[in-house]
Amino acid sequence: MTAQAIGAPAGSAFLEHQGEARPAHWGGVFAMTLCVLALIAWEFLPVSLLTPMATDLRVTEGMAGQGIAISGAFAVLTSLSISAVAVRINRKTLLLSLTAMMCLSGAIVALAPNYLTYMAGRALIGVVVGGFWSMSAATAMQLVPPAKVPRALAIFNGGNALATVVAAPLGSYLASIVGWRGAFFCLVPVAAIAFVWQWFSLPAMRARPRAPGSGNVFRLFRSRLVTLGMLAVGVFFMGQFAFFTYLRPFLEAVTRVDVSTLSLILLTLGVAGFLGTTVIGRFLKRGFYGTLTIIPLMMGAIALMLIALGTSVAATTVLLGVWGLAATAAPVGWWTWIARTLPQDAEAGGGLMVAVVQLSIALGSTVGGVLFDTSGYRSIFAFSAGLLVVGALLVLSTARADHAEACGEKSIPASLVVAAADAGAAPIKPKESRMWMTVGERRFAVTLADNAAANAFAARLPLTLDMAELNGNEKHADLPKPLPANATRPGTIRNGDLMLYGTKTVVVFYSTFDSSYSYTYLGRVDDPAGLAQALGRRGARVEFSNP
């Protein structure tokens, strides 16, 4: 049989660019973190300024709250379409454009002579939010080496948490001194500094090729687990922001606090939220889905308790502190869920998550505004509590789907082989066939699985594949014709595993890690020592041949 040389697929945004050695650009990471801080503060500043904004613009507080709704709606549209732009434009240019747009948005809102102009400025900030967050993970992967990506993302989230702490109380305090317009203007120089810093610290990040169809985030809804999880996320955020958007009018009209006390309560909520983000990891390790279920139930109970106890400053402060502790920690859990559920589709999953969250914020604040204007705060709090309870039930359904998907895929050849290897026993196969896998000057013996896919693969030998790098743990390439697949979830991928993803993508793993993805087991390198070094950090040509 004549050897075939097959080009690797274009891959995804996670692919390492072949031939590119990436230094760590920590200045760019910190510049983007400053941008995150300004962006989050900008997005939710209206929460603490709703009353003076409504008075000045001569609209109801519910209509002023629609500024959050419209920013969420435009964030949804942007998060679903930004990938089409990102593949054509240098990522540095795109990030600088978004930062400049943030400056423009702040100036438009601060100078808005009427309600329509204010809403136009809020729509612009929605574009920035959707674009920036959809690109954040992929950008981090271009700024630092793969081993440093988690640290870079943690720094980004630190800016998010800090903004959550200071935005509401600082906005309330500044508005009492320079007015709500002055509070918005104060963020313009912060965004300008972030723009200049990014200009000098971000490297050129040219667009990367992607596989056909990989930018379609809606394909993820084919998974029942993803569908239920996204529903749980959406209902949770809708319930949260139906309540949170109209918190200031409630505190002023029902709890009857002055500006100083209002700022103190909002600061308490923010500090509690910051603490929540620091401790949530421990609870997620002890009980992942249990923690994600308890959080909305706690928040729903607090919303109902505030209907009865909202006139007490002390009780309201304590309850809102607990609310902040839970509400700010919840997104950490859901982003962890994305990493667990879609480890190889984190960019697409992240874009979909941004769209779902922003759409939910828009719906929650819109419905909340209508209820606030027509029925008062009690209807909003009851509505929020109901949604949060539904969200908790959806988390339970997500957990069951996750468990069913895992348990339903246990009877797989790969798991039997792995279990036997862990126990020190011989591989469980009635028939053993072997092949060689050659990378450069190194040759590795591979024991093939006893299944239709492995037999069909062996029938095509000798075969040469130009395999692309992905995620710092695998090489992959597409075959010209599909193999008979019987995909199952192995749970743990091991160094040296040879797998089939879908029906055409051959994957060689050179690292051990947990995965929730499903593969058809093809075989395993007998002795994977030195495999990672042979494959290298970029694309590699791999030859498969008969012994």
Side-chain angles (χ1 to χ4, degrees):
M1 185 185 295
T2 304
Q4 307 170 61
I6 301 169
S12 71
F14 284 129
L15 288 176
E16 303 292 342
H17 190 279
Q18 296 186 18
E20 182 182 12
R22 288 176 298 151
H25 298 278
W26 290 109
V29 172
F30 285 107
M32 288 185 63
T33 301
L34 179 62
C35 194
V36 169
L37 191 152
L39 181 60
I40 298 302
W42 222 312
E43 184 181 11
F44 297 115
L45 201 58
V47 171
S48 62
L49 304 175
L50 213 56
T51 302
M53 286 169 52
T55 301
D56 194 17
L57 295 173
R58 298 182 179 180
V59 295
T60 66
E61 289 165 332
M63 291 179 66
Q66 302 307 317
I68 293 180
I70 194 171
S71 66
F74 273 80
V76 170
L77 295 175
T78 305
S79 65
L80 295 177
S81 59
I82 192 69
S83 60
V85 178
V87 297
R88 299 184 181 94
I89 302 177
N90 186 298
R91 186 159 282 154
K92 177 179 179 177
T93 303
L94 189 53
L95 287 170
L96 289 173
S97 300
L98 291 172
T99 307
M101 192 178 296
M102 181 165 58
C103 295
L104 178 62
S105 168
I108 290 174
V109 170
L111 297 172
N114 52 51
Y115 180 67
L116 288 179
T117 307
Y118 159 74
M119 292 293 278
R122 292 297 300 175
L124 276 179
I125 202 64
V127 173
V128 180
V129 169
F132 187 90
W133 282 115
S134 296
M135 294 169 56
S136 59
T139 302
M141 293 175 180
Q142 288 187 272
L143 289 177
V144 297
K148 304 295 183 182
V149 168
R151 183 184 299 176
L153 292 175
I155 293 172
F156 286 169
N157 288 327
N160 186 1
L162 182 59
T164 303
V165 171
V166 303
L170 184 61
S172 176
Y173 175 74
L174 288 174
S176 68
I177 299 175
V178 296
W180 71 269
R181 296 178 185 274
F184 272 100
F185 257 130
C186 287
L187 286 174
V188 174
V190 177
I193 292 171
F195 179 90
V196 174
W197 194 357
Q198 288 177 104
W199 180 284
F200 287 104
S201 61
L202 290 177
M205 295 177 284
R206 57 185 177 275
R208 298 186 174 201
R210 63 175 71 230
S214 63
N216 180 15
V217 299
F218 295 108
R219 62 188 168 82
L220 299 177
F221 282 125
R222 298 171 186 170
S223 166
R224 182 171 180 269
L225 172 59
V226 172
T227 301
L228 287 171
M230 290 297 175
L231 279 174
V233 171
V235 173
F236 171 81
F237 276 94
M238 185 176 177
Q240 177 183 351
F241 280 88
F243 171 96
F244 185 66
T245 305
Y246 303 95
L247 185 58
R248 175 166 179 161
F250 164 76
L251 292 173
E252 291 179 330
V254 179
T255 314
R256 298 186 180 278
V257 299
D258 55 23
V259 174
S260 298
T261 307
L262 173 66
S263 298
L264 182 61
I265 291 175
L266 293 176
L267 179 62
T268 300
L269 190 150
V271 171
F274 184 79
L275 293 175
T277 61
T278 62
V279 302
I280 186 66
R282 301 176 187 176
F283 292 94
L284 292 172
K285 288 180 180 179
R286 295 177 182 176
F288 185 80
Y289 283 110
T291 301
L292 291 179
T293 302
I294 291 172
I295 286 176
L297 292 177
M298 286 176 54
M299 293 168 61
I302 290 169
L304 295 177
M305 292 172 68
L306 283 171
I307 295 177
L309 303 175
T311 56
S312 169
V313 175
T316 299
T317 302
V318 172
L319 289 173
L320 289 179
V322 178
W323 173 282
L325 185 76
T328 311
V332 178
W334 283 113
W335 281 109
T336 304
W337 177 80
I338 283 287
R340 284 167 47 120
T341 307
L342 301 169
Q344 291 177 306
D345 260 334
E347 185 180 51
L352 185 59
M353 178 80 85
V354 170
V356 169
V357 169
Q358 293 299 328
L359 179 62
S360 300
I361 290 173
L363 289 174
S365 57
T366 299
V367 176
V370 173
L371 290 175
F372 188 86
D373 287 342
T374 58
S375 305
Y377 77 93
R378 289 184 177 86
S379 60
I380 290 182
F381 287 10
F383 175 68
S384 172
L387 286 176
L388 290 167
V389 170
V390 173
L393 295 176
L394 285 169
V395 174
L396 293 176
S397 297
T398 304
R400 285 194 290 269
D402 197 350
H403 180 72
E405 187 172 307
C407 292
E409 297 173 344
K410 292 297 183 182
S411 57
I412 63 175
S415 64
L416 292 175
V417 173
V418 169
D422 288 344
I428 303 174
K429 290 191 298 180
K431 178 183 177 181
E432 184 177 274
S433 57
R434 302 170 73 84
M435 70 176 181
W436 290 114
M437 183 177 76
T438 304
V439 186
E441 301 298 321
R442 294 294 305 273
R443 189 168 71 164
F444 300 89
V446 177
T447 298
L448 291 167
D450 182 34
N451 59 34
N455 293 337
F457 183 76
R460 300 184 185 185
L461 302 181
L463 183 67
T464 299
L465 300 177
D466 288 326
M467 308 191 79
E469 162 66 20
L470 181 61
N471 292 339
N473 55 34
E474 70 175 71
K475 308 293 183 189
H476 67 99
D478 276 359
L479 298 170
K481 295 181 180 180
L483 296 176
N486 182 22
T488 53
R489 185 196 290 182
T492 299
I493 300 293
R494 297 187 179 274
N495 180 19
D497 281 347
L498 179 66
M499 300 283 201
L500 177 69
Y501 180 68
T503 60
K504 296 179 65 175
T505 304
V506 176
V507 186
V508 178
F509 291 99
Y510 58 88
S511 179
T512 299
F513 60 98
D514 291 333
S515 172
S516 60
Y517 262 64
S518 297
Y519 299 92
T520 300
Y521 186 67
L522 294 178
R524 177 170 170 77
V525 175
D526 293 347
D527 182 7
L531 177 61
Q533 290 76 12
L535 290 170
R537 297 181 60 183
R538 297 183 289 274
R541 172 161 290 193
V542 181
E543 300 177 5
F544 299 93
S545 59
N546 291 306

